Amino acid sequence: MPEGDTIWQAARRLHDALAGKLLTRSDLRVPKYATADLTGRTVLDVIARGKHLLTRLEGGLTLHSHLRMDGAWKVYTNDQRWTGGPEHQIRAILGAHDRTAVGYRLPVLELLRTADEQQVVGHLGPDLLGADWNAERALARLAADPDRPLGEALLDQRNLAGIGNVYKSELCFLLGVTPWLPVGSLPADRTAKLPVLAKKLLEANRDRPVRNTTGRRGPDLFVYGRAPRPCLRCGTRIRVADQGDGSRERPTYWCPACQTGPAPTPGSPPTLRFRSRMLP
């Protein structure tokens, strides 16, 4: 599941493959940009901004992409077979003399002026892996809606950028509270720990091929994806339920013994909360 660490890795792969090189092939397979031709332009750099990828090109252009759940950028040498999916799932091809980057199943792909990048990423809160990281500003944004469940607030990229469903569940476990605890009810000592711990988790995993939050050799995660197996700390069965407004599936994992706070009762339907849409 792409989150801030995996997007950071994707940006680095794309940057290493294309930055400083002239594009010899360009194919954007979305109707709006089907006739756009980027060949002859040099790739300046590729950066991650939260869960967004910005590929900056000579001439003041930026190719913006977002992977959401299923998208992927793959990089191939000239003699490698493309293996990211069937041909009809390819949305973008950017090729240099020795490397080709292929974007599969990209739900968001748009070409814009580099000067206008804020139109697509300006809504984001401080980036946990970015130069703009500011713990105080992230906490202020979280605290602005004290009644909001912590899990929902962590997923809202307007508060802090880079956390997805995996880190939401793992972070709440490490803080010892359920994802349904209102932000304003989080004890002060754990509120202070939240941004430090979130940044530590993403930084520790940005160079790893397999995400790990336990700090041990298997299992790699404390709660995410582990229901109904026993908690690694207390042995209680891990539980899972959906969280959010029902607009998308967000399986949320927690230990009912190690984490305090409200939580769905077994067999109850997910609670629907009608709020402003969370922006990716």
Side-chain angles (χ1 to χ4, degrees):
M1 180 178 299
E3 301 195 21
D5 53 346
T6 48
I7 301 303
W8 190 92
Q9 292 172 12
R12 184 175 62 178
R13 286 194 302 271
L14 290 170
H15 183 89
D16 290 347
L18 299 176
K21 298 177 183 177
L22 195 74
L23 289 181
T24 57
R25 182 176 181 183
S26 162
D27 187 1
L28 304 182
R29 299 182 180 180
V30 294
K32 186 175 180 179
Y33 305 109
T35 60
D37 186 6
L38 302 177
T39 57
R41 295 178 185 265
T42 298
V43 177
L44 302 179
D45 64 2
V46 184
I47 68 165
R49 183 73 175 84
K51 299 181 185 180
H52 298 251
L53 283 164
L54 301 172
T55 301
R56 293 169 175 160
L57 303 153
E58 181 184 29
L61 291 178
T62 293
L63 186 65
H64 165 236
S65 57
H66 194 295
L67 308 185
R68 293 204 176 149
M69 293 295 291
D70 301 316
W73 278 99
K74 303 288 186 179
V75 175
Y76 303 100
T77 59
N78 293 338
D79 58 352
Q80 282 183 304
R81 185 169 65 90
W82 297 359
T83 57
E87 177 82 9
H88 72 268
Q89 292 183 350
I90 295 175
R91 296 293 177 266
I93 301 172
L94 299 176
H97 70 281
D98 62 341
R99 294 286 190 279
T100 300
V102 184
Y104 291 90
R105 300 171 299 280
L106 301 176
V108 176
L109 186 70
E110 54 186 329
L111 194 61
L112 63 151
R113 295 190 308 163
T114 301
D116 294 334
E117 285 179 358
Q118 288 302 297
Q119 293 180 6
V120 294
V121 296
H123 66 283
L124 298 176
D127 187 341
L128 283 156
L129 293 178
D132 73 321
W133 171 246
N134 183 301
E136 290 75 19
R137 190 152 55 93
L139 282 178
R141 292 195 175 199
L142 288 168
D145 190 352
D147 296 328
R148 193 176 193 184
L150 178 61
E152 291 184 29
L154 290 173
L155 286 182
D156 194 331
Q157 302 300 292
R158 293 170 293 189
N159 292 330
L160 65 170
I163 290 180
N165 227 29
V166 176
Y167 282 119
K168 174 194 78 172
S169 295
E170 294 295 294
L171 186 57
C172 287
F173 176 81
L174 291 169
L175 291 171
V177 298
T178 70
W180 290 271
L181 182 79
V183 171
S185 298
L186 187 65
D189 61 328
R190 281 174 265 187
T191 298
K193 285 174 56 178
L194 190 157
V196 177
L197 186 55
K199 185 172 179 61
K200 181 179 178 180
L201 287 178
L202 266 73
E203 284 187 335
N205 284 286
R206 67 182 184 183
D207 294 315
R208 288 176 176 163
V210 178
R211 187 178 289 138
N212 182 292
T213 61
T214 62
R216 64 180 78 173
R217 291 186 177 179
D220 293 305
L221 302 175
F222 282 109
V223 291
Y224 189 85
R226 299 197 66 250
R229 285 173 284 179
C231 173
L232 297 177
R233 285 185 177 170
C234 72
T236 302
R237 286 191 174 188
I238 299 298
R239 289 184 54 199
V240 60
D242 283 335
Q243 182 179 29
D245 61 6
S247 61
R248 67 177 71 178
E249 187 175 326
R250 293 189 184 276
T252 300
Y253 298 82
W254 79 102
C255 171
C258 291
Q259 295 170 253
T260 60
T265 57
S268 65
T271 300
L272 299 185
R273 294 172 54 84
F274 296 97
R275 292 188 168 271
S276 58
R277 182 174 61 91
M278 283 188 287
L279 298 179

